[in-house]
Amino acid sequence: MSNRTADSGSGPLYIGFDLSTQQLKGLVVNSDLKVVHVSIFDFDAHSHGFPIKKGVITNEAEHEVYAPVALWLQALDSVLDGLKKQGMDFSRVAGVSGAGQQHGSVYWGDDAEGLLGGLDSKKSLEEQLAGAFSHPFSPNWQDSSTQGECDEFDGYLGSQEKLADVTGSKAHHRFTGPQILRFQRKYPDVYKKTSRISLVSSFLASLFLGHIAPFDISDVCGMNLWNIHKGAYDEDLLKLCAGPHGVEDLKRKLGEVPEDGGIDLGKVHPYFVERYGFSKTCTIIPSTGDNPATILALPLRPSDAMVSLGTSTTFLMSTPSYKADPATHFFNHPTTPGLYMFMLCYKNGGLARERIRDAINDSVGDKSPSNPWKHFDEVAHNTPILGQKNPETDPIKMGLFFPRPEIVPNLRAGQWRFNYDANTKKLTETPQGEGWKDPDDNARAIIESQLLSLRLRSRGLTTSPGSGIPAQPRRVYLVGGGSKNKVIAKIAGEILGGSEGVYKLEIGDNACALGAAYKAVWAIERKKDQTFEDLIGQRWREEEFVEKIADGYLPSEFERYGAAVEGFEKMESTVLEQEGKK
């Protein structure tokens, strides 16, 4: 439930919280960015009194997934108790920030401000705040009950493309705007009694402040309500979301959004001073979403890319370019004005690679290898780039591999294989053969397919780092289980580039909490106009956190894959058209 690393010195400490779907984590760092304490509350294992599974309650009849808000109250006291048992000196804590699962919403009742402000240190948060909510549950990001509302959002400004341009994303089931629209229709009386609406991140900050905290400048972009161009709520979308209750009522419920991601929201509430020993001068910093917090887990500079190769695949980039598209997500950067956070989310990542890996192991009769990736790696390494033994004459071999329905592009589960002639621009679908059990083609093709999709959708967001070098990421950071695979890393460098190379980031599953803690360090200790990247970059010890695992940019390979991107885009369009006719 808790873990501790060595603490030294008497300087200031900073806490970053990560309120995720299945646990709450509190991670403490010092000014040198060293982790000195960690405390974790696992919702399923450690909570009591809640009928949850994997942190949530599921109503399959209505496609609802939600969490009891009181569960998170129980968790916060428990995490702080865990830190206290470790002997942590709370009086040294200079700042607190957090990361919250994105898109979840908390509905406060009329008594919320009074109950938050009057907390008694002799009682738990759960005991005192049970009556603070107009609705006891928070919709979870896995919720898919809002298809009708998403259709309305997508069409309200004219198209998905227009909505994405204004808010950074097309409408998604989990986004807070469609969720609020459904909530006010399903529970009109409860909505009327709701005084404020928080995101999970601002809910966390509210507990420490003792009053309702404002949204974070990055996390607010996950609502389909924030006009990124104007830096304000979009009046038209507010009108849709508010319904008969009116725009001004909804504005009051949502509150203001400060532009500075490191603003001093106020000092910690006396509850935490008296119960745990926090200093009265401890400052609360805006908490942000889990994805924005992840890119703060290292000093990610403009055009650096982070690729999470887990069960799913997530691509994050800090960029000065804003080129919204319905297939992607853009957010305001959580700390740095003038930058945006670009994000891609794929359902098919490790699952697709593992399916081909297992098929290869079966085909060679090695069903229980000591190294399950040995044969996959050998085949992928020995297969020529894009399946071309002779690049001058052979067609490019490529495919789509989706063991589960995909959202980028929006396709059913399935597998499609094509040949593409880069000279004639001709695309030809090839027979499926044995499908997943075709190791000579599939091992390298699955890696290339996933990375070509990333390159396709991040075009125009990278900048050329030097004269004569094509636009590409400065560095590519790999995290997640797939980052351990050197063959994948090598191909990632060949396709995505990386003028300074491909790196493996060793942060385990602490990225969100670590990013939140770093945000607090920056907010409190920054000099005038000092950026997050500058301050954290000066203190961040690369040798402790990253390892260079591939060269990155190789001119010949980068150019060949650049030609393949055009064929890959054509392949996706062809398959989408085919599926649309069925």
Side-chain angles (χ1 to χ4, degrees), residues 302-305 462-466 469-476 493 496-503 548 550-554 558:
S303 293
D304 283 348
T462 52
T463 56
S464 179
I469 300 177
Q472 61 189 279
R474 184 182 74 100
R475 289 186 174 189
V476 176
L496 299 176
S499 59
E500 294 185 11
V502 179
Y503 294 77
K548 187 174 182 179
D551 289 333
Y553 174 59
L554 299 171
F558 191 78

mmCIF file of all heavy atoms in Angstrom, residues 302-305 462-466 469-476 493 496-503 548 550-554 558:
data_model
loop_
_atom_site.group_PDB
_atom_site.id
_atom_site.type_symbol
_atom_site.label_atom_id
_atom_site.label_comp_id
_atom_site.label_asym_id
_atom_site.label_seq_id
_atom_site.Cartn_x
_atom_site.Cartn_y
_atom_site.Cartn_z
ATOM 1 N N PRO A 302 9.630 21.380 -27.183
ATOM 2 C CA PRO A 302 8.882 21.389 -28.442
ATOM 3 C C PRO A 302 9.480 20.433 -29.465
ATOM 4 O O PRO A 302 10.689 20.399 -29.663
ATOM 5 C CB PRO A 302 9.000 22.852 -28.896
ATOM 6 C CG PRO A 302 9.138 23.618 -27.622
ATOM 7 C CD PRO A 302 9.951 22.750 -26.719
ATOM 8 N N SER A 303 8.612 19.634 -30.064
ATOM 9 C CA SER A 303 8.960 18.633 -31.077
ATOM 10 C C SER A 303 9.527 17.345 -30.494
ATOM 11 O O SER A 303 9.843 16.427 -31.246
ATOM 12 C CB SER A 303 9.922 19.196 -32.132
ATOM 13 O OG SER A 303 9.268 20.184 -32.894
ATOM 14 N N ASP A 304 9.672 17.239 -29.169
ATOM 15 C CA ASP A 304 9.948 15.935 -28.575
ATOM 16 C C ASP A 304 8.657 15.123 -28.595
ATOM 17 O O ASP A 304 7.563 15.678 -28.442
ATOM 18 C CB ASP A 304 10.402 16.071 -27.118
ATOM 19 C CG ASP A 304 11.846 16.520 -26.995
ATOM 20 O OD1 ASP A 304 12.552 16.506 -28.015
ATOM 21 O OD2 ASP A 304 12.261 16.877 -25.872
ATOM 22 N N ALA A 305 8.778 13.819 -28.766
ATOM 23 C CA ALA A 305 7.607 12.947 -28.807
ATOM 24 C C ALA A 305 7.743 11.846 -27.767
ATOM 25 O O ALA A 305 8.833 11.314 -27.557
ATOM 26 C CB ALA A 305 7.454 12.324 -30.196
ATOM 27 N N THR A 462 6.160 18.751 -36.212
ATOM 28 C CA THR A 462 7.568 18.763 -35.861
ATOM 29 C C THR A 462 8.270 19.860 -36.642
ATOM 30 O O THR A 462 7.789 20.324 -37.677
ATOM 31 C CB THR A 462 8.220 17.404 -36.183
ATOM 32 O OG1 THR A 462 7.927 17.064 -37.545
ATOM 33 C CG2 THR A 462 7.647 16.328 -35.280
ATOM 34 N N THR A 463 9.416 20.257 -36.146
ATOM 35 C CA THR A 463 10.193 21.298 -36.811
ATOM 36 C C THR A 463 11.553 20.749 -37.206
ATOM 37 O O THR A 463 12.067 19.835 -36.582
ATOM 38 C CB THR A 463 10.383 22.516 -35.884
ATOM 39 O OG1 THR A 463 10.996 22.080 -34.672
ATOM 40 C CG2 THR A 463 9.048 23.163 -35.568
ATOM 41 N N SER A 464 12.125 21.310 -38.233
ATOM 42 C CA SER A 464 13.444 20.871 -38.685
ATOM 43 C C SER A 464 14.499 21.378 -37.719
ATOM 44 O O SER A 464 14.635 22.584 -37.504
ATOM 45 C CB SER A 464 13.725 21.411 -40.085
ATOM 46 O OG SER A 464 14.999 21.009 -40.523
ATOM 47 N N PRO A 465 15.254 20.463 -37.090
ATOM 48 C CA PRO A 465 16.222 20.890 -36.082
ATOM 49 C C PRO A 465 17.492 21.486 -36.667
ATOM 50 O O PRO A 465 18.316 22.008 -35.950
ATOM 51 C CB PRO A 465 16.532 19.582 -35.344
ATOM 52 C CG PRO A 465 16.326 18.518 -36.379
ATOM 53 C CD PRO A 465 15.198 19.009 -37.243
ATOM 54 N N GLY A 466 17.692 21.396 -37.975
ATOM 55 C CA GLY A 466 18.897 21.949 -38.559
ATOM 56 C C GLY A 466 18.805 21.996 -40.070
ATOM 57 O O GLY A 466 17.964 21.364 -40.683
ATOM 58 N N ILE A 469 17.991 18.936 -42.747
ATOM 59 C CA ILE A 469 17.426 17.761 -42.075
ATOM 60 C C ILE A 469 15.905 17.861 -42.124
ATOM 61 O O ILE A 469 15.331 18.880 -41.748
ATOM 62 C CB ILE A 469 17.887 17.676 -40.607
ATOM 63 C CG1 ILE A 469 19.407 17.587 -40.555
ATOM 64 C CG2 ILE A 469 17.275 16.469 -39.924
ATOM 65 C CD1 ILE A 469 19.960 17.578 -39.144
ATOM 66 N N PRO A 470 15.217 16.814 -42.586
ATOM 67 C CA PRO A 470 13.746 16.865 -42.674
ATOM 68 C C PRO A 470 13.105 17.084 -41.303
ATOM 69 O O PRO A 470 13.673 16.751 -40.256
ATOM 70 C CB PRO A 470 13.388 15.481 -43.228
ATOM 71 C CG PRO A 470 14.637 14.968 -43.858
ATOM 72 C CD PRO A 470 15.760 15.537 -43.064
ATOM 73 N N ALA A 471 11.923 17.666 -41.326
ATOM 74 C CA ALA A 471 11.170 17.878 -40.092
ATOM 75 C C ALA A 471 10.896 16.537 -39.419
ATOM 76 O O ALA A 471 10.467 15.572 -40.066
ATOM 77 C CB ALA A 471 9.858 18.592 -40.387
ATOM 78 N N GLN A 472 11.147 16.475 -38.116
ATOM 79 C CA GLN A 472 11.004 15.239 -37.349
ATOM 80 C C GLN A 472 11.101 15.583 -35.876
ATOM 81 O O GLN A 472 11.487 16.700 -35.517
ATOM 82 C CB GLN A 472 12.113 14.259 -37.718
ATOM 83 C CG GLN A 472 13.506 14.800 -37.419
ATOM 84 C CD GLN A 472 14.603 13.937 -37.965
ATOM 85 O OE1 GLN A 472 14.951 12.939 -37.367
ATOM 86 N NE2 GLN A 472 15.128 14.320 -39.129
ATOM 87 N N PRO A 473 10.761 14.651 -34.984
ATOM 88 C CA PRO A 473 10.957 14.921 -33.561
ATOM 89 C C PRO A 473 12.428 15.138 -33.231
ATOM 90 O O PRO A 473 13.319 14.572 -33.880
ATOM 91 C CB PRO A 473 10.432 13.652 -32.890
ATOM 92 C CG PRO A 473 9.521 13.026 -33.880
ATOM 93 C CD PRO A 473 10.104 13.366 -35.220
ATOM 94 N N ARG A 474 12.674 15.945 -32.226
ATOM 95 C CA ARG A 474 14.048 16.114 -31.722
ATOM 96 C C ARG A 474 14.503 14.807 -31.071
ATOM 97 O O ARG A 474 15.548 14.252 -31.372
ATOM 98 C CB ARG A 474 14.105 17.268 -30.720
ATOM 99 C CG ARG A 474 15.504 17.604 -30.209
ATOM 100 C CD ARG A 474 15.451 18.718 -29.180
ATOM 101 N NE ARG A 474 14.932 18.235 -27.909
ATOM 102 C CZ ARG A 474 15.702 17.922 -26.863
ATOM 103 N NH1 ARG A 474 17.010 18.016 -26.950
ATOM 104 N NH2 ARG A 474 15.154 17.516 -25.738
ATOM 105 N N ARG A 475 13.656 14.333 -30.168
ATOM 106 C CA ARG A 475 13.879 13.047 -29.519
ATOM 107 C C ARG A 475 12.573 12.262 -29.519
ATOM 108 O O ARG A 475 11.496 12.855 -29.451
ATOM 109 C CB ARG A 475 14.352 13.195 -28.077
ATOM 110 C CG ARG A 475 15.769 13.709 -27.912
ATOM 111 C CD ARG A 475 16.180 13.666 -26.455
ATOM 112 N NE ARG A 475 17.582 14.027 -26.278
ATOM 113 C CZ ARG A 475 18.243 13.913 -25.131
ATOM 114 N NH1 ARG A 475 17.619 13.448 -24.058
ATOM 115 N NH2 ARG A 475 19.515 14.253 -25.043
ATOM 116 N N VAL A 476 12.679 10.959 -29.552
ATOM 117 C CA VAL A 476 11.535 10.079 -29.373
ATOM 118 C C VAL A 476 11.755 9.309 -28.077
ATOM 119 O O VAL A 476 12.745 8.576 -27.946
ATOM 120 C CB VAL A 476 11.377 9.097 -30.556
ATOM 121 C CG1 VAL A 476 10.220 8.135 -30.288
ATOM 122 C CG2 VAL A 476 11.140 9.857 -31.854
ATOM 123 N N GLY A 493 12.882 4.543 -34.649
ATOM 124 C CA GLY A 493 13.813 5.575 -35.096
ATOM 125 C C GLY A 493 13.827 5.715 -36.602
ATOM 126 O O GLY A 493 13.906 6.825 -37.138
ATOM 127 N N LEU A 496 9.967 7.276 -37.365
ATOM 128 C CA LEU A 496 9.641 8.567 -36.773
ATOM 129 C C LEU A 496 10.809 9.537 -36.817
ATOM 130 O O LEU A 496 10.624 10.748 -36.704
ATOM 131 C CB LEU A 496 9.190 8.378 -35.322
ATOM 132 C CG LEU A 496 7.945 7.525 -35.098
ATOM 133 C CD1 LEU A 496 7.680 7.364 -33.604
ATOM 134 C CD2 LEU A 496 6.726 8.127 -35.794
ATOM 135 N N GLY A 497 12.019 9.007 -36.957
ATOM 136 C CA GLY A 497 13.196 9.850 -36.894
ATOM 137 C C GLY A 497 13.614 10.067 -35.446
ATOM 138 O O GLY A 497 13.552 9.161 -34.617
ATOM 139 N N GLY A 498 14.003 11.277 -35.155
ATOM 140 C CA GLY A 498 14.568 11.602 -33.850
ATOM 141 C C GLY A 498 15.980 12.088 -34.082
ATOM 142 O O GLY A 498 16.927 11.299 -34.095
ATOM 143 N N SER A 499 16.147 13.395 -34.302
ATOM 144 C CA SER A 499 17.451 13.929 -34.674
ATOM 145 C C SER A 499 18.506 13.657 -33.612
ATOM 146 O O SER A 499 19.699 13.594 -33.921
ATOM 147 C CB SER A 499 17.357 15.438 -34.943
ATOM 148 O OG SER A 499 16.889 16.127 -33.799
ATOM 149 N N GLU A 500 18.061 13.489 -32.349
ATOM 150 C CA GLU A 500 19.002 13.172 -31.275
ATOM 151 C C GLU A 500 18.882 11.728 -30.802
ATOM 152 O O GLU A 500 19.567 11.320 -29.875
ATOM 153 C CB GLU A 500 18.802 14.123 -30.089
ATOM 154 C CG GLU A 500 19.145 15.563 -30.407
ATOM 155 C CD GLU A 500 19.055 16.464 -29.188
ATOM 156 O OE1 GLU A 500 18.923 15.938 -28.055
ATOM 157 O OE2 GLU A 500 19.129 17.694 -29.364
ATOM 158 N N GLY A 501 17.978 10.956 -31.424
ATOM 159 C CA GLY A 501 17.899 9.549 -31.093
ATOM 160 C C GLY A 501 16.589 9.135 -30.453
ATOM 161 O O GLY A 501 15.672 9.936 -30.239
ATOM 162 N N VAL A 502 16.505 7.830 -30.149
ATOM 163 C CA VAL A 502 15.353 7.217 -29.491
ATOM 164 C C VAL A 502 15.780 6.808 -28.080
ATOM 165 O O VAL A 502 16.834 6.182 -27.898
ATOM 166 C CB VAL A 502 14.854 5.977 -30.268
ATOM 167 C CG1 VAL A 502 13.669 5.331 -29.551
ATOM 168 C CG2 VAL A 502 14.466 6.370 -31.695
ATOM 169 N N TYR A 503 14.958 7.138 -27.104
ATOM 170 C CA TYR A 503 15.312 6.931 -25.705
ATOM 171 C C TYR A 503 14.222 6.139 -24.990
ATOM 172 O O TYR A 503 13.039 6.264 -25.301
ATOM 173 C CB TYR A 503 15.498 8.270 -24.981
ATOM 174 C CG TYR A 503 16.690 9.062 -25.484
ATOM 175 C CD1 TYR A 503 16.626 9.765 -26.684
ATOM 176 C CD2 TYR A 503 17.866 9.087 -24.766
ATOM 177 C CE1 TYR A 503 17.717 10.481 -27.155
ATOM 178 C CE2 TYR A 503 18.966 9.810 -25.220
ATOM 179 C CZ TYR A 503 18.886 10.500 -26.415
ATOM 180 O OH TYR A 503 19.968 11.199 -26.879
ATOM 181 N N LYS A 548 19.545 5.899 -24.033
ATOM 182 C CA LYS A 548 19.453 5.939 -25.483
ATOM 183 C C LYS A 548 19.491 4.510 -26.017
ATOM 184 O O LYS A 548 20.420 3.756 -25.729
ATOM 185 C CB LYS A 548 20.598 6.753 -26.083
ATOM 186 C CG LYS A 548 20.450 6.960 -27.585
ATOM 187 C CD LYS A 548 21.516 7.904 -28.137
ATOM 188 C CE LYS A 548 21.321 8.135 -29.629
ATOM 189 N NZ LYS A 548 22.316 9.070 -30.193
ATOM 190 N N ALA A 550 18.338 3.669 -29.509
ATOM 191 C CA ALA A 550 18.412 3.581 -30.965
ATOM 192 C C ALA A 550 18.910 4.918 -31.510
ATOM 193 O O ALA A 550 18.791 5.956 -30.854
ATOM 194 C CB ALA A 550 17.058 3.221 -31.573
ATOM 195 N N ASP A 551 19.456 4.879 -32.727
ATOM 196 C CA ASP A 551 20.070 6.070 -33.308
ATOM 197 C C ASP A 551 19.066 7.148 -33.691
ATOM 198 O O ASP A 551 19.383 8.326 -33.680
ATOM 199 C CB ASP A 551 20.881 5.683 -34.545
ATOM 200 C CG ASP A 551 22.144 4.915 -34.178
ATOM 201 O OD1 ASP A 551 22.650 5.118 -33.055
ATOM 202 O OD2 ASP A 551 22.601 4.115 -35.005
ATOM 203 N N GLY A 552 17.854 6.744 -34.052
ATOM 204 C CA GLY A 552 16.917 7.748 -34.531
ATOM 205 C C GLY A 552 17.099 7.995 -36.016
ATOM 206 O O GLY A 552 17.179 7.048 -36.806
ATOM 207 N N TYR A 553 17.204 9.251 -36.403
ATOM 208 C CA TYR A 553 17.182 9.636 -37.814
ATOM 209 C C TYR A 553 18.295 8.979 -38.633
ATOM 210 O O TYR A 553 19.484 9.151 -38.361
ATOM 211 C CB TYR A 553 17.294 11.154 -37.917
ATOM 212 C CG TYR A 553 17.415 11.663 -39.342
ATOM 213 C CD1 TYR A 553 16.420 11.383 -40.271
ATOM 214 C CD2 TYR A 553 18.521 12.421 -39.733
ATOM 215 C CE1 TYR A 553 16.527 11.856 -41.580
ATOM 216 C CE2 TYR A 553 18.626 12.905 -41.035
ATOM 217 C CZ TYR A 553 17.631 12.608 -41.953
ATOM 218 O OH TYR A 553 17.730 13.068 -43.233
ATOM 219 N N LEU A 554 17.882 8.217 -39.644
ATOM 220 C CA LEU A 554 18.770 7.643 -40.653
ATOM 221 C C LEU A 554 18.219 8.093 -42.009
ATOM 222 O O LEU A 554 17.097 7.730 -42.372
ATOM 223 C CB LEU A 554 18.785 6.119 -40.568
ATOM 224 C CG LEU A 554 19.276 5.524 -39.234
ATOM 225 C CD1 LEU A 554 19.035 4.026 -39.202
ATOM 226 C CD2 LEU A 554 20.754 5.840 -39.032
ATOM 227 N N PHE A 558 14.532 6.997 -43.376
ATOM 228 C CA PHE A 558 13.512 8.007 -43.116
ATOM 229 C C PHE A 558 12.817 8.412 -44.416
ATOM 230 O O PHE A 558 11.601 8.599 -44.467
ATOM 231 C CB PHE A 558 14.149 9.226 -42.445
ATOM 232 C CG PHE A 558 13.164 10.218 -41.888
ATOM 233 C CD1 PHE A 558 12.516 9.978 -40.685
ATOM 234 C CD2 PHE A 558 12.886 11.392 -42.561
ATOM 235 C CE1 PHE A 558 11.612 10.904 -40.167
ATOM 236 C CE2 PHE A 558 11.986 12.317 -42.057
ATOM 237 C CZ PHE A 558 11.350 12.061 -40.848
#
